[in-house]
Amino acid sequence: MNGAAFERPLIMFVGLGFPRHIDDATDALQALDELAPLEHGSAHNVAVRACRAALLGEIEPETARGIVEAYARTRGVLVDELLAPHAMAARDDLLGA
């Protein structure tokens, strides 16, 4: 765990639509990078910059989390907290984990 850990994780659909558990700003940066290039744009850049700022200690990790959450929600890739356990279980079933 690093200094940019989130108090509560996020779960986002990335890549081919698999849910990904996001625990900190580093995970968020990687997940943002895995989104289709069509999802990139000014809002994506703001989310990326927020994660980098959190890693550098320039902003609180929760501020970055909120920005990433807002971005993911507007793009339709945020997994609702109530559905998160089911999404992760479905992913594990598909991957045979």
Side-chain angles (χ1 to χ4, degrees), residues 35 45 52 84 88 91 97:
L35 293 175
N45 292 339
R52 288 183 181 148
M88 298 304 284
R91 180 204 63 187

Side-chain angles (χ1 to χ4, degrees), residues 18-88:
F18 286 100
R20 178 168 177 168
H21 204 257
I22 314 290
D23 290 314
D24 56 36
T26 300
D27 287 345
L29 271 174
Q30 291 170 349
L32 289 166
D33 188 51
E34 291 178 21
L35 293 175
L38 292 175
E39 298 294 329
H40 295 193
S42 59
H44 180 269
N45 292 339
V46 169
V48 167
R49 286 196 314 264
C51 291
R52 288 183 181 148
L55 289 170
L56 293 172
E58 296 171 353
I59 65 171
E60 294 294 320
E62 288 307 300
T63 302
R65 182 194 183 280
I67 292 168
V68 172
E69 180 177 16
Y71 170 76
R73 185 179 314 283
T74 61
R75 291 297 186 203
V77 296
L78 182 68
V79 177
D80 184 272
E81 288 183 34
L82 294 175
L83 299 176
H86 303 291
M88 298 304 284

